[in-house]
Amino acid sequence: KTVVGDADVRGISGGQKRRVKFLEMAVGIDATTFFLDEITNGLDAASALSICKVVGAALDVSRSTAITCLLQPSREVFLTFQRLILLTPGGELAYSGRIDKAVSHFEAFGLTMPLDGSMNEPEFLLRCASSPTDFWNDEEKGPVPHEVATPGALAKAFVTSDAGRALEEELDALENDEDGKASGSPQSPPANLSSFAQPMQKQLALLIGRGMTLVKRNPASTL
């Protein structure tokens, strides 16, 4: 049994357990990409924001990437991420790019987010991907254009948009980089390659710091 808890002892909260588990993987597993499915489910707003910040900080330290699926995130949680992949109900790509340019991408098609505070950015983007005509004003702009008539049409319009072309250029650059590496002279694997993602000194420092924090928070412990 530990302070974290087990099947018999509740231990720390669910949000804290998720943070511990992710940091354990980020430090101890030799991985560059993590797939995190609905990591904020069942957490209150503060805990959800906290775990997303922890994930972001851990990724910066380990220089890794996380692809995260979130269910109805708050604005604060949404803004902790750098890029957005937005899918239509049919699984088509409605947007992929920087978070801070997502709203302006849809506004370029004439879909305007309400200014009365009735919804935030993630709510607006999700609605655009599922029902884009909700944000088209017939009285001011006339009939709904084909590009935003359906989610599928919006996904096709993304391909020729500025964001779509930027994504294509990024993918082409990555593909060319991989082709260049493949055509170059083969490199021998580095000697004494560690099986851990982080060096022993960093792991030791993290574990000691974590242990001291757990001891301080345990009312039964004395220093």
Side-chain angles (χ1 to χ4, degrees):
K1 296 180 181 180
T2 67
V3 178
V4 173
D6 56 21
D8 300 319
V9 179
R10 182 180 183 275
I12 60 179
S13 67
Q16 291 172 322
K17 287 180 181 178
R18 294 186 198 187
R19 290 193 287 272
V20 170
K21 184 61 178 178
F22 175 77
L23 291 173
E24 180 184 9
M25 292 190 299
V27 172
I29 298 178
D30 187 12
T32 57
T33 306
F34 297 91
F35 296 89
L36 309 176
D37 185 23
E38 298 184 356
I39 58 174
T40 60
N41 277 18
L43 302 180
D44 57 62
S47 296
L49 178 60
S50 175
I51 191 172
C52 289
K53 287 183 176 180
V54 166
V55 168
L59 294 174
D60 288 339
V61 172
S62 61
R63 297 183 180 181
S64 303
T65 300
I67 300 176
T68 307
C69 176
L70 297 179
L71 179 64
Q72 296 179 327
S74 66
R75 181 178 186 273
E76 292 74 19
V77 167
F78 177 74
L79 294 178
T80 61
F81 294 88
Q82 299 174 340
R83 297 181 66 93
L84 170 69
I85 299 176
L86 183 64
L87 303 179
T88 68
E92 297 175 284
L93 188 62
Y95 177 79
S96 178
R98 289 172 47 180
I99 284 279
D100 57 353
K101 293 187 176 182
V103 172
S104 60
H105 166 76
F106 290 99
E107 289 182 339
F109 290 108
L111 307 178
T112 306
M113 187 172 75
L115 301 177
D116 57 2
S118 59
M119 65 175 56
N120 55 30
E121 289 95 328
E123 291 173 328
F124 168 71
L125 295 170
L126 287 171
R127 286 273 299 277
C128 281
S130 60
S131 185
T133 55
D134 290 350
F135 303 102
W136 182 268
N137 192 321
D138 294 342
E139 298 179 357
E140 295 182 0
K141 302 177 181 179
V144 178
H146 171 71
E147 291 82 0
V148 298
T150 64
L154 192 65
K156 291 180 180 179
F158 167 75
V159 177
T160 57
S161 68
D162 291 341
R165 288 192 293 269
L167 177 63
E168 185 177 3
E169 291 174 359
E170 285 186 67
L171 295 176
D172 288 342
L174 290 172
E175 184 176 357
N176 293 334
D177 184 54
E178 290 298 324
D179 291 342
K181 291 180 180 179
S183 60
S185 57
Q187 298 180 352
S188 58
N192 300 324
L193 181 64
S194 173
S195 58
F196 296 96
Q198 300 295 334
M200 184 184 68
Q201 295 87 345
K202 180 173 288 187
Q203 292 190 53
L204 185 60
L206 289 172
L207 289 173
I208 291 176
R210 174 182 163 192
M212 292 299 296
T213 300
L214 292 175
V215 169
K216 291 178 182 178
R217 292 177 179 175
N218 187 354
S221 299
T222 57
L223 293 177

